[in-house]
Amino acid sequence: MPPSNPSQDVLARSDLILCISKFPNSTMLEDHEVTSLSSNGDHRLCLRFRDGLVAELDFTDCVTEEHGPQTEPLRDATYFSQVWLDDGVLTWPNGYDIAPETLRFWAERGYCG
């Protein structure tokens, strides 16, 4: 079924919903900056990048596969949802963060990790 908005391509997977607006491709690092985010429950975040790319990523596998003192608290969905943006970087209260370049890479390939 074609997208309801012809100016968007939509890719749906069990671990990702990705809407790509038809913007020119850019390799500039500024375009990788996350400008807004929203928590969509459990370990899912919807991210908007400076160049208009919007991606919803499921971080469940990321937080359950990584082990360590900074990732352990992220397994709790309530704690995970306390994420905020610090200059375009996803950041949690314990100092754990994920660089925007990593997030962009995951968004473009369709999954985390």
Side-chain angles (χ1 to χ4, degrees), residues 44-72:
R44 297 176 73 88
L45 296 176
C46 184
L47 309 172
R48 177 177 295 276
F49 294 86
R50 180 170 301 284
D51 69 349
L53 177 79
V54 176
E56 182 175 87
L57 294 172
D58 185 353
F59 290 82
T60 303
D61 290 342
C62 294
V63 300
T64 56
E65 291 173 3
E66 288 196 31
H67 301 283
Q70 285 200 304
T71 56
E72 290 293 324

Side-chain angles (χ1 to χ4, degrees), residues 9-30:
D9 295 328
V10 177
L11 169 67
R13 288 180 36 166
S14 62
D15 61 349
L16 168 79
I17 299 170
L18 177 62
C19 299
I20 305 172
S21 297
K22 301 232 183 205
F23 289 100
N25 290 336
S26 174
T27 58
M28 299 183 71
L29 287 178
E30 297 85 41

